[in-house]
Amino acid sequence: MNELLEQFAAAYAAREEGLPGFAEGRSGLHYPAAFLFVGDRAAEAASALTELNGGKYDNAAGIAYFHVASSALPEDGLDRHRQAVRFRWDAFGGRGAEENTLRRDTHRAFVNSKADHLYELNRALRRSSRMLSESGRLFASFDRLHLSVVTHADDAMNVLTPEISLLAGAVFGQSFKSVQTDLYVLVSDQEQSDSFGYSSSVGVSFLRELDYVQRPEYAFSAPLQVTENRLTIDVNHAPSPLFDLVYLLSDKNERGIAAPGGLRGGYEIICHAHLLKNRRRDHGAPGSAAALEEQPLEGLKTGAGQYNNSSFKSGLSDESGRRGLASGGFARVTRPDRSIALAVLYHFARGLNRRMREIPETPAAEQLSRLELDRPHMRERAERLAPDEGRLEDMNGIMSSSASYSSIRRLTLAEAEETLFGSAAESFFRGNFEAEAQRRLAEADIGRGLRQYAEQAAAEDARHGLYRIAAWSDSSESANAAPTALLAQMREAMLEREGAREELDRLYGGLVEEQPHKKALLRDSQNVRNFVRYFFEHVYGLKLRILRLEMEIELYRRYEDALSELHVRYKAMIRRVEQLEERLRRAAEYSARSADDYIGQNLMPYYERVVDGLMRDAEDRRGRDHYFEERRLGDLAALIADRPEDGAGAAGTGAGPDAGMSAGEHRLLQRLAELCTRELLGAEPLVQTYEQELLRRANVAVEYENRETMTKEDLFRILYRKLEERAAINLRLFDYTQEHRHEEKYFFGDGNGEFMRYALNEEETSRIYRVGYVHERRSDGVEKLNLMGGFHIEDLMYYRNGRVYYDAYVKAGYLFHAIDSERLPEI
């Protein structure tokens, strides 16, 4: 189920992005780009960034991804990605490594000239470089490559970051005039509660080395390039900082609050920071659309709308010339399309279910008649079970005694039967009437007619059939249900049977000579024959009537059981429908909550109204059973019922609480998703800009709550504040005063949109930082990226907390660095 709902929601979101005016104007990269991931822990970042970049850049098909990992890393989607190369390396040849020297030994194994991995790494990098070369037509310029290196601070393999970065730059640089390299360091503050000692020491080790490689005097030379003939070539780096910019991104913001998505916000920052630095600018003629997009909006100072990398770098350097580090914060306000799709699907399913439950009131007598359980039908069935009256003629052939009429005329009918036949007549009736009726009753498929009627009724009345059969077949559903009326009929039959038995007793007690049979004078034997014919016709005719009443009563009992079985079956189908509705509700509410407390506000009640209005409008125009026609929902019972091809197992489609979903529920969910997409999701109330949609949702409860309507300016003020709050810097510093803090803030969205203009003008009024924007032709939302920099390693809370452990581990003999620690600058 989870997979099917995800596909449904993603399809709606993708379709919305493809609509004119929503998000068809994705940004593009000016220069080719490559992402280099170092260490196993960077696998998540690699997968996330391939997805984010693919959705953000219109030329993302030209980006190369390269991941250096250990041989122990399991395969994932990156191994199958068309633009990705993953190089797995076993540093120790399967031998276990000592933890206290792991980082140092990993580095020694990497630079070992006798090993063959450098040759393989060179080949893999050249394969990635060839991918970049083949994508030249996607970029405005092929002069420069933007290389982004991503690693985790506490991944032991990050000790190789300088060597791998420089080797990659050297290999890629053979296709470009220059390679500009940025480093993104991911810091997992939240994990320190579980693995605080060793991992914190590894993180501090890397930060000390990072401070070293970012010094202006840092230089490097090592034989890292390997030709096809195994010849080595030095990779050199002249004295200068190794990376153009270094970003540190944590899963806690500067206020120490953990991010709900962990490092997901950090991946968004990497994607958008790269875009700022490497954005394609389509310079057109003055007055052209392309030229207008590049001009600052009214209210902003000239040139304030664009990112300038040189200006940003200069803002990070202090008076001594030591270059500071950077971090960022990211937030977005968008139409929560996936949440909207799930809410619409739930309310659509709920609306259909509510209509199906509105069963018209039907008198019990009419229920029995339509189910063919009224007395005429039941009597007819009982008559078919017992032999007909013609078989009574056969009783006249039963051997009788030679008693004269005169000898029996003063006897009762019971005495006369004993005198004439003994027990022969009774035995004949039991064997030829009662036993035959019981045999026919045993062979009858009592519930077949009910099942056939139910299937036909459900197919012909798709709106009410399923619920109608369930309601009619159980008295607990309604006091007016068929079983109650059926029992009333059974009581009538039982009263008739008792009356017939009493009549039989009276008849048996009457005298022979008083019976109205034909009597002939002086013809004794003829009178006996006339009496016998009368006796069988009336006495056993009455017994046949009693037998039929007993058969009718037994049929009532069996049909009561058949109705109960029918109810169990149809109630189980209804339970599946209602369980699916409940699962859809949980999925929709969870998605609305995950959209955050403001963007997801009023989502469920608002779309309940929207869906209800759309459904009523369609029914007014096309008929009340519009959604239940065969080409729409159709026969719900046939859809939800078990089928032979379903097998014994459930058709579960996801893990967790929704696993074990029946095949019928899965079919119904597919039909609902298709119908919802076709009938509702393209309607006007569901095609709105994020500004319109949020404003309407914000005011959904106005008529129920006596409060003023929220104005567009009120909404913009709230959104602006939310964006700023949620774009808090993703890094916690110890004591970083405002005078050292360099900040820049950028919006991504429709530069001519009302909210973008409002936000930019708000920033302009009292800003002490650079403000800019990236114009994207989209109406589905706006994003904000806050950049901050100028701090150093010693300002990090992560470093200050980890330094205690680092010093303790070093004192205990742990060797973390590949170079002499005395060469590292003292922090």
Side-chain angles (χ1 to χ4, degrees), residues 596-814:
D596 84 40
D597 56 352
Y598 188 77
I599 301 305
Q601 73 161 339
N602 297 335
L603 196 141
M604 295 297 282
Y606 173 72
Y607 283 101
E608 179 181 9
R609 293 193 190 185
V610 169
V611 170
D612 186 58
L614 289 172
M615 293 181 75
R616 289 181 186 277
D617 180 62
E619 289 168 336
D620 290 343
R621 288 184 289 110
R622 300 173 185 172
R624 64 189 296 274
D625 292 329
H626 167 71
Y627 291 109
F628 300 95
E629 295 173 358
E630 180 60 33
R631 62 195 183 98
R632 291 182 177 84
L633 186 61
D635 187 351
L636 178 62
L639 200 64
I640 199 75
D642 292 326
R643 298 178 182 177
E645 63 268 24
D646 294 339
T653 56
D658 291 324
M661 183 179 176
S662 72
E665 287 176 273
H666 193 258
R667 281 191 296 270
L668 176 57
L669 179 56
Q670 285 181 310
R671 179 71 62 85
L672 288 173
E674 293 166 6
L675 191 55
C676 182
T677 300
R678 190 168 72 241
E679 298 284 329
L680 297 181
L681 290 181
E684 183 276 330
L686 290 161
V687 183
Q688 308 173 67
T689 67
Y690 71 99
E691 298 154 324
Q692 295 168 336
E693 197 266 348
L694 277 174
L695 188 60
R696 289 185 184 181
R697 256 199 293 132
N699 289 316
V700 69
V702 167
E703 61 189 77
Y704 294 116
E705 300 174 14
N706 187 17
R707 66 175 190 179
E708 294 182 2
T709 303
M710 177 180 285
T711 66
K712 189 174 289 187
E713 182 145 346
D714 293 334
L715 174 66
F716 288 172
R717 189 180 304 111
I718 293 170
L719 293 182
Y720 173 77
R721 188 174 68 249
K722 294 287 182 183
L723 274 174
E724 180 59 22
E725 289 174 358
R726 288 170 183 163
I729 302 304
N730 282 19
L731 194 67
R732 198 173 184 202
L733 302 176
F734 180 70
D735 183 19
Y736 194 54
T737 58
Q738 190 65 36
E739 61 178 314
H740 299 120
R741 187 182 183 104
H742 178 79
E743 290 185 90
E744 298 187 6
K745 302 189 178 185
Y746 296 90
F747 291 90
F748 298 77
D750 181 6
N752 298 307
E754 292 181 79
F755 176 67
M756 179 76 98
R757 288 179 176 274
Y758 173 88
L760 288 169
N761 285 322
E762 282 293 306
E763 293 280 7
E764 182 70 18
T765 54
S766 60
R767 65 183 176 90
I768 56 172
Y769 40 77
R770 183 183 182 87
V771 178
Y773 70 96
V774 173
H775 174 69
E776 296 174 335
R777 295 188 303 277
R778 53 186 288 186
S779 299
D780 63 336
V782 66
E783 299 163 333
K784 186 175 188 182
L785 176 67
N786 288 350
L787 299 180
M788 182 274 290
F791 60 90
H792 299 96
I793 300 299
E794 60 269 22
D795 297 310
L796 299 175
M797 284 294 295
Y798 177 82
Y799 177 83
R800 286 174 173 264
N801 293 334
R803 184 63 190 259
V804 176
Y805 301 111
Y806 171 81
D807 291 340
Y809 275 82
V810 169
K811 187 176 181 180
Y814 279 69

Side-chain angles (χ1 to χ4, degrees), residues 131-143:
M131 291 181 193
L132 286 168
S133 299
E134 293 169 354
S135 65
R137 59 185 175 79
L138 297 175
F139 300 95
S141 173
F142 215 63
D143 289 343

